[in-house]
Amino acid sequence: MAYTVGQVAGLAGVTVRTLHHYDEIGLLSPSGRSSTGYRRYDDADLERLQHIRYYRELGFPLEEIAAILDDPASDPTAHLRRQHELLTVRIKRLQEMVTAIEFAMEASKLNIQLTPEERFEVFGDFDPEAHAEEAERRWGGSEAYRESNRRVSRYTKEDWLRIKAENEDWGRRIVALMSSGAPADSPAAMELAEEHRQLISRSFYECSYEIHTGLADMYLADERFTAHYEAIAPGLTAYLSEAIHANAISRA
Amino acid sequence: MAYTVGQVAGLAGVTVRTLHHYDEIGLLSPSGRSSTGYRRYDDADLERLQHIRYYRELGFPLEEIAAILDDPASDPTAHLRRQHELLTVRIKRLQEMVTAIEFAMEASKLNIQLTPEERFEVFGDFDPEAHAEEAERRWGGSEAYRESNRRVSRYTKEDWLRIKAENEDWGRRIVALMSSGAPADSPAAMELAEEHRQLISRSFYECSYEIHTGLADMYLADERFTAHYEAIAPGLTAYLSEAIHANAISRA
DNA sequence: GCTCCGGCCTGCCGTTACGTGAGGGTCAAG
DNA sequence: CTTGACCCTCACGTAACGGCAGGCCGGAGC
């Protein structure tokens, strides 16, 4: 079977100009020409183009692709295996970027400034183990965190406004309670802690009592989260943390 | 906090030249300069750069990124949501490419020529429904097919050679049986059909009796698979298909 | 046989997103 | 006060095509 440039271009989803270019630089020269000078591509040319397209999608420069494809030491299935591996690595990378975006959304939700490192962690030559460990430390089981955060990405602006309003309402009430002098382990405080937990469960992720106490500890340990609650009212961080712990114990 | 070009470049994983370029075209101009003309970037600049990097990774041209970022109608979380969505679409696309590669490996294993459409299906403006339907028709449940084929990608050249040898041995025995005149629903033929199923299960994917009969039908329906078995021995396709059906029924 | 219209050819210049010096100030550590 | 690492501004180079000009096919219809 023989094909013209236009046909090949249509099949492969590239422009005719691109095929001309590949011919010019010798990356993909059609196996023959018609008597009138038309390029004629055969099935072997198509297979080569297929590999070219995959390697290109993976970001390889044309020169390097030529070197890879012309390497006599690698049979066709070797290319397939290689492309398969490169693709899965790429997918993993993109999934890390998704997680990073979700983290940024979480931070943005609480008006928390990301550190420069956090902003670009996913782009640098990061240590994957340290990364996983960090997520583990911060979220106490990254699996639940990731799964749950799928929801966040689907929220509209209206959802966000509603969530914000709910949070602010809750904030006003716990500040009022704290200033009234009620202790952090009082039933009223525990009730507000429980409400806090349910707010998270409804809007973000299933927040177990275990995760909730983990969050309480994190609020105390991470100054950026501390700052968030202290900005609402001084002393609120400790008050809330204590209430969360008391609530968790009483429900156990 | 203020940063120099070099620091920003290090953090964000780009070159100093890139930052110079972004400054030149007005995409990211540092918020200030030192008395001696040094660029000074602040946290807001870093946040902008963060978005630039994500959009770039997604293939947006710089000019378009500038337009998006300077659009007053979109708040910062809108960018995050948008990037999240674009990333997941991208991941889906790459996963389709992985499936396509696995299909190509499967075909290569049997020395089957792909049609031009199959080679570039994943690049063209393909209809996703038709694609899924095709996979469904061909593999009777693409999920099992995809999951199982993860194995294939890890095979070494030696594995392939071993598998090939096993297949050829099986081929010789079924050809011998067929020429001996034993009917396709004889115990011996059914035994070889069962062996065929187990060969697939061991080397490629868990092949249930249901899938196995699906394969039998496919061998008859798809001329490329037919050609594969007819090349071994004329009439083998029909013989094997019948044996597979007989075997499946007897085991039910 | 003629006539179109869409497809093909070969230049050739333009563009994007930087890479890569050249030539020359700047900053902090010793 | 030197020295090495870092910063500045030109300015030209490169990869991978895009897009157009000017001209040659090819087959469907009259």
Side-chain angles (χ1 to χ4, degrees):
Chain A
M1 280 290 259
Y3 310 86
T4 68
V5 257
Q7 290 171 329
V8 173
L11 277 168
V14 299
T15 66
V16 170
R17 180 66 182 85
T18 299
L19 293 175
H20 284 174
H21 183 61
Y22 291 172
D23 191 3
E24 273 173 40
I25 64 172
L27 174 59
L28 177 67
S29 298
S31 57
R33 294 271 187 150
S34 78
S35 58
T36 51
Y38 281 28
R39 289 174 178 78
R40 333 209 85 244
Y41 295 84
D42 65 12
D43 285 315
D45 295 330
L46 288 190
E47 188 182 344
R48 189 174 170 94
L49 181 54
Q50 175 195 338
H51 289 309
I52 292 172
R53 286 239 57 192
Y54 274 99
Y55 281 126
R56 271 258 69 199
E57 182 79 25
L58 289 161
F60 283 78
L62 299 184
E63 203 175 341
E64 204 167 329
I65 296 176
I68 295 172
L69 291 181
D70 293 338
D71 178 7
S74 62
D75 56 309
T77 68
H79 291 303
L80 293 176
R81 278 205 304 282
R82 181 172 189 171
Q83 287 159 5
H84 190 280
E85 194 188 323
L86 290 167
L87 278 170
T88 53
V89 168
R90 196 78 207 283
I91 287 174
K92 213 176 141 198
R93 163 104 187 291
L94 290 184
Q95 271 163 350
E96 274 155 9
M97 288 177 66
V98 167
T99 311
I101 292 278
E102 288 169 353
F103 178 68
M105 290 173 112
E106 188 81 3
S108 154
K109 173 172 76 75
L110 295 179
N111 262 349
I112 288 170
Q113 272 266 30
L114 294 178
T115 68
E117 286 78 12
E118 283 168 339
R119 285 191 195 287
F120 302 107
E121 226 170 9
V122 84
F123 293 111
D125 24 28
F126 62 104
D127 178 352
E129 295 210 23
H131 186 268
E133 203 183 295
E134 171 75 5
E136 185 70 22
R137 186 183 70 69
R138 221 197 306 265
W139 300 106
S142 61
E143 196 43 50
Y145 165 67
R146 282 205 47 189
E147 256 190 48
S148 60
N149 255 30
R150 305 256 157 74
R151 267 192 268 174
V152 172
S153 60
R154 271 193 275 280
Y155 285 170
T156 67
K157 200 165 186 172
E158 286 65 41
D159 290 328
W160 284 103
L161 288 175
R162 180 179 51 72
I163 290 163
K164 204 180 159 206
E166 286 174 0
N167 270 314
E168 282 171 356
D169 176 53
W170 170 86
R172 270 190 293 277
R173 283 186 290 133
I174 194 166
V175 168
L177 183 69
M178 185 174 69
S179 8
S180 82
D185 57 357
S186 66
M190 280 158 60
E191 180 51 38
L192 277 172
E194 176 65 15
E195 209 174 298
H196 177 261
R197 192 182 68 86
Q198 291 182 5
L199 266 172
I200 295 174
S201 287
R202 239 183 308 131
S203 302
F204 301 104
Y205 47 89
E206 187 54 35
C207 183
S208 67
Y209 290 104
E210 200 180 336
I211 290 180
H212 203 204
T213 54
L215 283 175
D217 294 341
M218 189 179 77
Y219 292 160
L220 291 172
D222 190 319
E223 57 184 76
R224 291 163 310 158
F225 289 94
T226 309
H228 170 71
Y229 284 106
E230 290 303 295
I232 300 176
L236 179 57
T237 323
Y239 188 79
L240 173 59
S241 292
E242 200 183 330
I244 288 174
H245 274 285
N247 182 53
I249 290 168
S250 85
R251 310 259 172 179
Chain B
M1 282 292 259
Y3 310 86
T4 67
V5 257
Q7 290 171 328
V8 173
L11 277 168
V14 297
T15 65
V16 170
R17 179 67 181 88
T18 299
L19 293 176
H20 284 173
H21 183 61
Y22 290 172
D23 191 3
E24 273 173 40
I25 64 172
L27 174 59
L28 177 66
S29 298
S31 56
R33 293 271 186 149
S34 78
S35 58
T36 52
Y38 281 28
R39 276 169 255 258
R40 331 209 85 245
Y41 294 84
D42 65 13
D43 285 315
D45 294 330
L46 288 190
E47 186 182 343
R48 190 175 170 94
L49 181 54
Q50 175 195 339
H51 289 308
I52 292 172
R53 287 239 55 192
Y54 274 98
Y55 280 126
R56 272 258 69 200
E57 181 79 25
L58 289 162
F60 283 79
L62 299 184
E63 202 175 342
E64 204 167 330
I65 295 176
I68 295 172
L69 291 181
D70 294 336
D71 178 7
S74 62
D75 57 309
T77 69
H79 290 304
L80 293 176
R81 279 205 304 281
R82 182 172 189 171
Q83 287 159 4
H84 190 281
E85 193 189 324
L86 290 166
L87 278 170
T88 53
V89 168
R90 195 79 206 285
I91 288 173
K92 214 177 139 196
R93 163 101 187 291
L94 290 184
Q95 271 164 350
E96 274 155 9
M97 288 178 65
V98 167
T99 311
I101 292 278
E102 287 169 354
F103 179 69
M105 291 173 109
E106 188 82 4
S108 155
K109 174 173 77 75
L110 296 178
N111 262 349
I112 288 170
Q113 271 267 29
L114 295 179
T115 68
E117 287 78 12
E118 283 168 338
R119 285 191 194 286
F120 302 107
E121 225 171 10
V122 84
F123 294 111
D125 22 31
F126 62 104
D127 179 350
E129 295 209 23
H131 185 268
E133 203 182 295
E134 171 75 4
E136 185 71 22
R137 186 183 71 68
R138 223 200 299 269
W139 301 106
S142 59
E143 196 44 47
Y145 165 67
R146 284 205 44 188
E147 258 190 47
S148 59
N149 257 29
R150 305 256 158 72
R151 267 191 269 173
V152 171
S153 60
R154 273 192 274 279
Y155 285 169
T156 67
K157 199 163 184 172
E158 286 64 41
D159 290 328
W160 284 104
L161 288 175
R162 180 181 49 75
I163 290 164
K164 205 179 157 204
E166 287 174 0
N167 271 312
E168 282 171 357
D169 175 54
W170 170 86
R172 270 189 293 276
R173 284 185 289 134
I174 194 167
V175 168
L177 183 69
M178 185 173 70
S179 6
S180 82
D185 56 358
S186 65
M190 279 158 58
E191 181 51 37
L192 277 172
E194 177 64 15
E195 209 174 298
H196 177 260
R197 192 183 68 86
Q198 291 182 5
L199 266 172
I200 295 175
S201 287
R202 238 182 311 130
S203 302
F204 301 104
Y205 47 88
E206 187 55 33
C207 183
S208 67
Y209 291 104
E210 199 181 335
I211 291 181
H212 203 205
T213 54
L215 284 175
D217 294 341
M218 189 179 77
Y219 293 158
L220 291 172
D222 191 319
E223 57 185 78
R224 289 163 313 158
F225 289 94
T226 309
H228 170 72
Y229 284 105
E230 290 303 295
I232 301 177
L236 180 57
T237 323
Y239 188 78
L240 173 60
S241 292
E242 200 182 329
I244 287 174
H245 275 285
N247 182 53
I249 290 168
S250 84
R251 310 258 172 181

